Amino acid sequence: MTALDPGRPDDLALQPEASASGPARTRWFARKNRQAVQSEGWFAAALVSPALLVILLIVFLPLVYSVWLSFAEVDLLRPGGTAITIFGMRLPLYRFTGLANYSKVLSDPLYWQALLRTVYFVALFVIEAVVIGFAMALVLNAHFAGRGLMRAMLLVPWSMSRIAVGILWLGMLDADFGAINGILYRLGLIDHYLSFFSDGFTALNVLIVVYVWNQAPFATILFLAGLQSIPQDLYHAASVDGAGFWRKLWHITLPSLRPMMFLVLVLATVNGFLMLDLIYVMTSGGPGNDTTTVTWLGYRTAFSFFKFGPGTAILFTLTLICVALTVIYHRLILSRFQSE
Amino acid sequence: MPTVIARNHSKLWPVLGLYGLVALVALWLIGPFLWLFISSISEQRDLLARPMPLFPPNPSFANYAKIFGLVEFHAQHQSAQILPSLGNSVVVTLIVTALNIVLGSGAGYAYARFQHPVMKITLYAILFTRMLPVVVLMPALFLIMRQLGLQNTLSGLVLAYCSFTFPFTIWILKSYFETIPRELEESALVDGCSRLQAFVKVILPISGPGLVAAGAFTFVLCWNEFLVAQVLNSKPGTTTLPPTVAGMLGQANIDYSVIAASGFLSAIPAVILALVFQRYMVQGLTAGSVKG
C-alpha cells in the first residue's frame, strides 16, 4: 500500500543500486550527476510548474479569497470599494464585518437542524455503505462462474453521474410511474401506490439508500483488494482447527481488513458530509426543509439567495469537519500502513 | 468462507445459496440501471399503466429521437439543449483528460524521482487540496472566473476541472513511476539521452497501465461533474450534460420517459469506459483511494 503513503520517498533508494553495471559505472554516473544537479532541478521545476500554477490559481487563491468572503458583507451588485489586484484581475474585498456571518449562521436554528440531519444522514450512510459494501465483497470474493463479470458490474452504479443516479431512482420510486410501486402492486402487496417523497423523514432515508447504491460498490472494491491480500493458509489452518464461517470472519477476515475498514469509514464520512447533487435532483432539500443538509443549506444560501458571506461561512464550518476528519485519517491510516 | 463451501461439490445447497446471493447482488447493482434503459424506450402511458408492464409493449427509440431533435414534440425547445451540452461535455472531458495525461504524468514523474524540500512541500499542498470540499471554493471561484471573463466558457471549465483532477492523476502516476526501477533511466542517460528523452522514450512507453488508470479516472470524474458546471456555466448552451439533464427535471411538461432517455445518454459513455478499463480503474481506485 505504498500508494497511500506520501512519506516514503526512499522506496527506490532501498533497491540494490546498479547491481548489473558494477561500481565503475556508478562512480561515473555520480560524477555526471553532480554536474547535472543544477539542470535537473530546472527539469523537475518545469515538469511540476504547470500543474502547480493551475492548482494555485483555481484552488489556493479561491480558498484564501473565500476565507475572506466568509468575514465580509458581500454585495454582488456593488463590487466597488477596496480591492486587490492579482494576475491582472481585480478582486473586490467588500466590507469586512468580522465574525458577523458566523454568528448569524450559528444563531440560526435552521443551521442546527440541518447539522443534526446531516449527522443522522452521515451516520446511517456510513453504516449502510460499510455493511452492504462488505457483504458484497464477501459474496464476490467466493469462487463462482462469472466472477469477473460480477466485479465489472460493481463499476456501473459508481461510474454513473449522480444526476443520472437521481433520475434513475426517481423512476424507481415515483408515486405514479415508479418501478418499485409497479412491482409491489403486481405482486399484490399494496393496493395503492406509495409515495416515498411526501414525508420528510422517509425522503431523507430514501436519499441515504440511493447514495449507498451509488457509493457502496467503491467500498466493495477496496474490501476486495484487502480480502485478496489475506493469506489463504490462515483459513486452511482455521478449518483444520474446526472453525466455522463466522469464527473465521471474526478472527481472521475482520482483523486483517482493519486498515481498509478505517479507509472506507473516513472516505464514506467525508463523502456523506459533502453529498449535494443527489439532493439537487431528488428532493431540492424538501419537503419543507426536511432533507436540507449543511452542504445543501450552504449551497442554497450562496447560489439561490446569493448571500455569499453567510454561504461561505456555512460551508467553512463543514470544511473544518472535513479537515478534522482528514487529520484523523492521516493519523490512523497512514501510521497503520507505515508500521506494516 | 464461501470459498471453501463452493469447492465442496457434494453439498448442493451451499452452492445454490451462493448463486442466490450472487444473483441478488447482480440485481441490486444492475437492475435499476436496466430499468432506466427500459423507461427510456417506453412510452409514458406504459409506465403509468396499472398493472405496469415489466417490458414495454411497444419498445421504441422515439424518446432518443426527441432529445436529438429528430422528431418534433411539445417540449422540444427544452430538450434542444441536450445536443450542444453533449458536445460541450465531450470537448471539456477530452481536453481535460489529455492535459492530465501530458502535464499530470510529467508532474507525477518529477515527484517520483526528485527529492527536494520544495518538492515535498508542494506535494503535501497538492494532497491537501484533495481533501478540500470543492463546494466551499465555489463562491470565490465564481467571482474569480467572472473577473477573468471565463464564466460561461469552456476554457473556464477546463481550467477548473484540471485543478481538481491533477492531484489525483499526479498521485496515481507518482506511485506508478515509483515501481519502475531507476536503472532504466540511468542507463538511458549514460547512453546520451537527455532527462526529457529518458522520460518520454524510456519511461512513458512502459507506463501504459498507470496512464490508462489516470486517464480513465479523469474522464469519468469530468464527464459526471455537476456542481462546478452548474455554478460557473449557468447560461444555456455553455454548460455540460449533467446540469442540462438536471434542469429538464424541473420542467413540468416533459415526460419522465424522455428524461430517462437523457439520463441514460448522459450515463452511458462513462459506464462503458469504466467497464472497458475496469482492471486499470480498480487498480487506480485502490491505489488512489479518493473521495468521489
Side-chain angles (χ1 to χ4, degrees):
Chain A
M1 292 309 324
T2 50
L4 284 161
D5 177 358
R8 198 159 53 184
D10 303 325
D11 268 2
L12 287 151
L14 293 174
Q15 289 178 358
E17 208 173 282
S19 50
S21 45
R25 216 200 81 178
T26 315
R27 234 178 290 130
W28 179 89
F29 186 77
R31 208 182 316 127
K32 191 187 169 180
N33 230 9
R34 226 172 294 128
Q35 296 164 350
V37 158
Q38 205 84 29
S39 69
E40 302 228 320
W42 284 112
F43 178 66
L47 284 182
V48 296
S49 51
L52 282 181
L53 260 179
V54 174
I55 291 171
L56 189 73
L57 182 71
I58 305 294
V59 179
F60 281 97
L61 180 62
L63 181 64
V64 175
Y65 191 36
S66 61
V67 172
W68 176 264
L69 291 179
S70 76
F71 292 111
E73 192 189 329
V74 182
D75 185 348
L76 291 176
L77 298 176
R78 284 194 206 86
T82 42
I84 44 162
T85 307
I86 302 174
F87 301 123
M89 96 187 113
R90 186 179 170 281
L91 294 178
L93 292 181
Y94 303 102
R95 200 166 67 85
F96 182 77
T97 53
L99 287 169
N101 288 329
Y102 286 94
S103 65
K104 200 160 84 187
V105 163
L106 295 181
S107 61
D108 186 354
L110 258 185
Y111 175 83
W112 294 103
Q113 286 162 15
L115 186 64
L116 204 65
R117 210 174 282 126
T118 311
V119 170
Y120 173 80
F121 180 93
V122 172
L124 211 58
F125 166 69
V126 169
I127 292 170
E128 286 182 24
V130 168
V131 171
I132 294 179
F134 184 64
M136 288 199 291
L138 281 186
V139 173
L140 298 194
N141 197 44
H143 290 278
F144 56 88
R147 197 170 167 219
L149 185 71
M150 281 297 292
R151 290 188 176 196
M153 280 185 187
L154 278 176
L155 288 171
V156 171
W158 175 83
S159 59
M160 288 175 80
S161 79
R162 231 108 56 205
I163 300 304
V165 169
I167 285 173
L168 138 64
W169 279 93
L170 283 178
M172 299 290 289
L173 296 165
D174 192 89
D176 292 318
F177 52 78
I180 289 178
N181 271 321
I183 290 167
L184 290 178
Y185 187 82
R186 257 180 176 269
L187 293 175
L189 293 173
I190 50 172
D191 53 6
H192 62 279
Y193 276 24
L194 306 172
S195 163
F196 292 96
F197 294 103
S198 54
D199 175 61
F201 188 62
T202 314
L204 188 64
N205 285 304
V206 163
L207 275 178
I208 295 174
V209 173
V210 174
Y211 199 36
V212 166
W213 181 78
N214 170 240
Q215 293 282 306
F218 177 66
T220 306
I221 289 170
L222 293 179
F223 284 137
L224 275 174
L227 284 174
Q228 273 150 13
S229 63
I230 305 176
Q232 285 299 309
D233 307 0
L234 288 178
Y235 291 112
H236 294 309
S239 297
V240 171
D241 293 344
F245 171 77
W246 295 106
R247 283 186 70 106
K248 282 188 250 178
L249 184 69
W250 187 253
H251 291 290
I252 301 174
T253 314
L254 284 176
S256 316
L257 282 181
R258 206 181 292 155
M260 226 28 133
M261 196 63 90
F262 273 109
L263 180 62
V264 170
L265 280 177
V266 177
L267 289 174
T269 312
V270 173
N271 285 338
F273 272 108
L274 298 182
M275 197 275 277
L276 183 113
D277 21 22
L278 264 188
I279 296 183
Y280 185 98
V281 187
M282 299 192 77
T283 66
S284 302
N289 282 316
D290 287 350
T291 56
T292 298
T293 60
V294 176
T295 318
W296 181 251
L297 187 68
Y299 171 80
R300 288 268 292 171
T301 311
F303 292 108
S304 296
F305 307 121
F306 287 97
K307 292 180 188 159
F308 274 26
T312 40
I314 293 174
L315 294 172
F316 263 111
T317 62
L318 199 70
T319 309
L320 283 183
I321 297 173
C322 289
V323 169
L325 284 169
T326 311
V327 172
I328 298 171
Y329 163 87
H330 276 278
R331 284 276 157 75
L332 288 176
I333 296 160
L334 295 180
S335 61
R336 256 161 222 281
F337 278 120
Q338 259 156 357
S339 64
E340 268 168 26
Chain B
M1 286 301 290
T3 320
V4 183
I5 297 165
R7 259 187 224 135
N8 194 342
H9 292 289
S10 63
K11 288 180 182 171
L12 181 66
W13 284 111
V15 177
L16 279 182
L18 173 63
Y19 277 94
L21 285 175
V22 169
L24 207 64
V25 174
L27 186 69
W28 167 252
L29 291 174
I30 296 297
F33 183 66
L34 288 181
W35 187 255
L36 182 68
F37 179 68
I38 290 174
S39 303
S40 77
I41 56 169
S42 300
E43 289 173 40
Q44 182 78 1
R45 64 186 144 110
D46 296 333
L47 296 177
L48 290 167
R50 296 183 192 187
M52 178 188 267
L54 289 182
F55 195 79
N58 325 298
S60 79
F61 286 94
N63 293 319
Y64 291 92
K66 283 176 188 168
I67 58 173
F68 280 127
L70 303 174
V71 188
E72 289 189 15
F73 78 117
H74 62 278
Q76 60 178 347
H77 65 280
Q78 275 137 348
S79 61
Q81 292 302 325
I82 292 285
L83 220 47
S85 312
L86 180 69
N88 290 342
S89 274
V90 170
V91 169
V92 170
T93 305
L94 288 183
I95 292 178
V96 174
T97 306
L99 285 173
N100 265 271
I101 298 280
V102 175
L103 298 176
S105 70
Y109 176 72
Y111 283 116
R113 288 295 192 259
F114 298 96
Q115 270 85 52
H116 188 274
V118 177
M119 298 292 278
K120 209 166 178 178
I121 292 166
T122 51
L123 183 63
Y124 272 106
I126 288 175
L127 289 182
F128 167 73
T129 68
R130 264 184 43 193
M131 285 300 156
L132 213 59
V134 171
V135 62
V136 79
L137 303 176
M138 289 320 295
L141 194 57
F142 174 84
L143 294 176
I144 288 174
M145 286 297 190
R146 197 165 72 165
Q147 290 299 316
L148 288 171
L150 291 176
Q151 212 188 353
N152 293 320
T153 67
L154 294 188
S155 330
L157 270 194
V158 166
L159 209 58
Y161 286 3
C162 277
S163 72
F164 302 132
T165 49
F166 276 159
F168 180 79
T169 304
I170 291 173
W171 191 237
I172 10 184
L173 286 176
K174 172 188 171 283
S175 22
Y176 189 84
F177 290 135
E178 278 172 349
T179 64
I180 299 176
R182 259 164 209 259
E183 284 96 79
L184 276 176
E185 296 125 282
E186 288 178 355
S187 45
L189 290 177
V190 170
D191 292 342
C193 278
S194 71
R195 269 285 6 168
L196 184 65
Q197 284 170 326
F199 171 51
V200 174
K201 289 186 179 164
V202 179
I203 301 301
L204 277 187
I206 55 168
S207 306
L211 295 173
V212 169
F217 203 88
T218 306
F219 186 99
V220 172
L221 273 187
C222 293
W223 185 267
N224 291 338
E225 205 288 327
F226 165 74
L227 176 67
V228 179
Q230 165 82 11
V231 168
L232 294 184
N233 290 21
S234 49
K235 210 166 104 190
T238 63
T239 198
T240 54
L241 215 37
T244 309
V245 174
M248 285 173 74
L249 267 179
Q251 313 288 339
N253 58 343
I254 301 187
D255 282 351
Y256 175 76
S257 58
V258 175
I259 296 173
S262 325
F264 189 75
L265 178 76
S266 77
I268 203 69
V271 169
I272 288 179
L273 192 95
L275 290 180
V276 169
F277 294 118
Q278 53 131 334
R279 182 185 304 255
Y280 304 104
M281 296 224 32
V282 168
Q283 279 168 358
L285 275 176
T286 324
S289 298
V290 277
K291 54 177 186 180

